[in-house]
């Protein structure tokens, strides 16, 4: 099982601010993911990475950006936060076992933009 | 048609009964299948995964896979109020190296 950490856990911020949501994992997983989820709604993949210097956009268009400079670290940045960005952001990482790819989730960051 | 479909519920189950959750998928090339549990306001946690046809048991949970009919199910035996949560089905397609989640089924276990 993976140990995945996300900070901050809760963030309330004003419109127009730049924010970075941190995600770190200690298991050496190559693949990492960011999902966005509104309360009671589906998970939406917004970014993923297959390894260092690899980043891809997910199924849901997002104004956020990501970087992957180190294997263990996959931060997500919003250059100018808006109320429409209010949501829960979930980071995950996965390992390939030879049979399947199992994703493990961090605790999430609940973002509120006023 | 969604790639992974689940009945959104809520599925109301008396305490001690069996909860039966279903999930269908569209891609016949799907290789492995996951069940996650998500409590309100929390992140998904892995319950179990299955990749061979048949049943796989883990404690009170049993996953059942039928690739010919393209469905996977989860049985929760002796349901407890603490099992009240949303259960997410996820399907992995090795060809696309992609894990796709269903919308989840909300389960309510009533004492």
């Amino acid at each position: 099982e993976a140990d995945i950490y996300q900070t901050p856990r809760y963030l309330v911020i004003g419109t127009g601010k730049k924010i970075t949501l941190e995600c770190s994992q200690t298991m050496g997983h190559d693949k990492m993911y960011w999902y966005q989820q509104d309360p009671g709604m589906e998970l939406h993949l917004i970014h993923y990475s297959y390894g260092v210097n690899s980043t891809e956009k997910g199924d849901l268009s997002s104004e956020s950006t990501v970087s992957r400079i180190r294997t263990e670290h996959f931060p997500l940045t919003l250059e100018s936060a808006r109320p429409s960005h209010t949501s829960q952001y979930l980071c995950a990482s996965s390992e390939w076992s030879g049979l399947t790819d199992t994703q493990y989730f961090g605790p999430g960051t609940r973002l509120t933009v006023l | 048609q969604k790639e992974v479909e689940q009945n959104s519920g809520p599925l109301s189950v008396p305490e001690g009964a069996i909860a039966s959750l279903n999930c269908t998928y569209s891609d016949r090339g799907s290789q492995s299948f996951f069940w996650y549990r998500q409590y309100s306001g929390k992140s998904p946690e892995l319950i179990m995964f299955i990749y061979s046809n048949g049943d796989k048991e883990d404690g009170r949970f049993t996953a059942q896979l039928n690739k010919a009919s393209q469905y996977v199910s989860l049985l929760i035996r002796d349901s407890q109020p603490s099992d009240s949560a949303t259960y997410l089905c996820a399907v992995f397609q090795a060809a696309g190296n992609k894990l796709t989640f269903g919308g989840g089924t909300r389960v309510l276990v009533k004492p």
Side-chain angles (χ1 to χ4, degrees), chain A residues 31 35 37 42-43 50 59 88 90 96 99-107 110, chain B residues 2 32 34 36 38 41-44 46 49 51 88 92 96-99 101 103:
Chain A
K31 295 181 186 178
Y35 291 87
Q37 186 181 36
E42 295 184 29
L43 282 170
Y50 288 140
D59 302 324
Q88 169 139 296
L90 295 163
W96 174 252
L99 288 169
T100 190
D101 202 48
T102 304
Q103 285 190 23
Y104 300 96
F105 286 82
R110 186 169 297 281
Chain B
K2 284 188 171 181
S32 48
F34 299 80
Y36 288 82
Q38 185 175 26
K42 303 295 185 182
S43 61
L46 180 68
F49 69 87
Y51 51 84
L88 303 173
F92 179 72
N97 201 5
K98 179 182 172 184
L99 185 69
F101 285 86

Side-chain angles (χ1 to χ4, degrees), chain A residues 13-19 78-82 113:
Chain A
I13 202 163
T15 296
K17 300 291 187 183
K18 177 179 179 179
I19 59 171
L78 276 165
E79 291 292 333
S80 180
R82 295 209 301 267
V113 184

Side-chain angles (χ1 to χ4, degrees), chain A residues 14-15 23 45 49 51 56 62 68 73 79 87 93 104 106 111:
Chain A
T15 296
C23 177
L45 180 67
S49 167
E56 305 285 345
S62 174
R68 190 90 183 276
H73 193 214
E79 291 292 333
S87 189
S93 70
Y104 300 96
L111 173 66

Side-chain angles (χ1 to χ4, degrees), chain B residues 55-69:
Chain B
D55 295 1
K56 180 180 179 183
E57 189 174 314
D58 185 355
R60 294 186 296 111
F61 298 99
T62 299
Q64 299 174 316
L65 175 61
N66 185 322
K67 288 187 177 180
S69 300

Side-chain angles (χ1 to χ4, degrees), chain B:
Chain B
Q1 182 190 5
K2 284 188 171 181
E3 293 181 61
V4 180
E5 298 223 39
Q6 297 181 254
N7 188 318
S8 60
L11 175 66
S12 187
V13 179
E15 184 175 357
I18 296 175
S20 178
L21 291 74
N22 294 317
C23 170
T24 58
Y25 60 95
S26 59
D27 187 346
R28 285 195 171 273
S30 300
Q31 287 187 273
S32 48
F33 308 84
F34 299 80
W35 285 101
Y36 288 82
R37 177 177 62 198
Q38 185 175 26
Y39 292 112
S40 180
K42 303 295 185 182
S43 61
E45 50 182 331
L46 180 68
I47 299 173
M48 62 193 305
F49 69 87
I50 186 169
Y51 51 84
S52 298
N53 276 327
D55 295 1
K56 180 180 179 183
E57 189 174 314
D58 185 355
R60 294 186 296 111
F61 298 99
T62 299
Q64 299 174 316
L65 175 61
N66 185 322
K67 288 187 177 180
S69 300
Q70 294 176 245
Y71 81 79
V72 56
S73 60
L74 180 71
L75 301 178
I76 308 172
R77 290 184 301 282
D78 188 24
S79 296
Q80 301 297 309
S82 59
D83 294 325
S84 297
T86 296
Y87 290 80
L88 303 173
C89 171
V91 175
F92 179 72
Q93 297 129 5
N97 201 5
K98 179 182 172 184
L99 185 69
T100 301
F101 285 86
T105 298
R106 188 168 158 235
V107 173
L108 293 174
V109 181
K110 298 187 174 180

Side-chain angles (χ1 to χ4, degrees), chain A:
Chain A
E1 190 167 324
D3 291 322
I4 304 179
Y5 308 96
Q6 290 187 244
T7 57
R9 294 291 310 279
Y10 302 91
L11 179 62
V12 180
I13 202 163
T15 296
K17 300 291 187 183
K18 177 179 179 179
I19 59 171
T20 296
L21 307 185
E22 302 288 349
C23 177
S24 296
Q25 49 97 4
T26 60
M27 297 303 289
H29 289 172
D30 284 329
K31 295 181 186 178
M32 295 189 74
Y33 312 81
W34 276 104
Y35 291 87
Q36 186 176 340
Q37 186 181 36
D38 293 327
M41 304 300 285
E42 295 184 29
L43 282 170
H44 292 288
L45 180 67
I46 52 175
H47 297 283
Y48 59 99
S49 167
Y50 288 140
V52 171
N53 294 325
S54 153
T55 60
E56 305 285 345
K57 289 189 180 295
D59 302 324
L60 181 69
S61 176
S62 174
E63 294 166 344
S64 57
T65 59
V66 292
S67 63
R68 190 90 183 276
I69 299 172
R70 303 197 314 266
T71 297
E72 64 272 19
H73 193 214
F74 190 40
L76 179 145
T77 298
L78 276 165
E79 291 292 333
S80 180
R82 295 209 301 267
S84 61
H85 297 139
T86 295
S87 189
Q88 169 139 296
Y89 292 84
L90 295 163
C91 179
S93 70
S94 68
E95 58 178 351
W96 174 252
S97 68
L99 288 169
T100 190
D101 202 48
T102 304
Q103 285 190 23
Y104 300 96
F105 286 82
T109 294
R110 186 169 297 281
L111 173 66
T112 302
V113 184
L114 302 176

